[in-house]
Amino acid sequence: PPETPLWLASPNSALRSMLHALDVDASAFEGGYRCVNAPGITCTVAEMMAGLERHGGDPGLVTFQPDPAVAAIVGSWPYEFDTAKAARMGFPAADSIDETIRAHVEDELGGIVGGEA
């Protein structure tokens, strides 16, 4: 459903986090525990669709067909993570949904939305 929240990180955000992690000194990991939740955003499907529309996408191309099996799987995924440790370690903030869409349009679609130049 459109109100379903999801935890996302754009490819660019994920790459920035991985590159940053390469340079993090081992002493920055609190208590020797070397796990950290990289930055991301919580975004609903409706917010994603609104972002697509703001960048020239056609929300009319999306239909919602309830599927209880898929809803049970996706509904079990966590959609919020504590990234305070990552922030203390200097990890860069995650891209917004608008920046994620803009980068996709530029990088993957050559700046063209909907087949129009």
Side-chain angles (χ1 to χ4, degrees), residues 9-86:
S10 72
N12 290 339
S13 291
L15 180 59
R16 284 194 308 271
S17 287
M18 286 188 276
L19 291 173
H20 179 75
L22 291 172
D23 292 327
V24 173
D25 188 85
S27 65
F29 289 91
E30 300 161 4
Y33 187 63
R34 291 186 170 228
C35 291
V36 62
N37 290 324
I41 61 168
T42 300
C43 187
T44 67
V45 174
E47 290 167 334
M48 288 183 235
M49 290 180 59
L52 290 170
E53 187 171 20
R54 284 191 297 274
H55 291 271
D58 180 359
L61 298 174
V62 177
T63 58
F64 290 93
Q65 298 177 346
D67 184 325
V70 172
I73 293 168
V74 176
S76 73
W77 296 344
Y79 56 87
E80 292 182 321
F81 288 86
D82 181 357
T83 61
K85 181 178 178 180

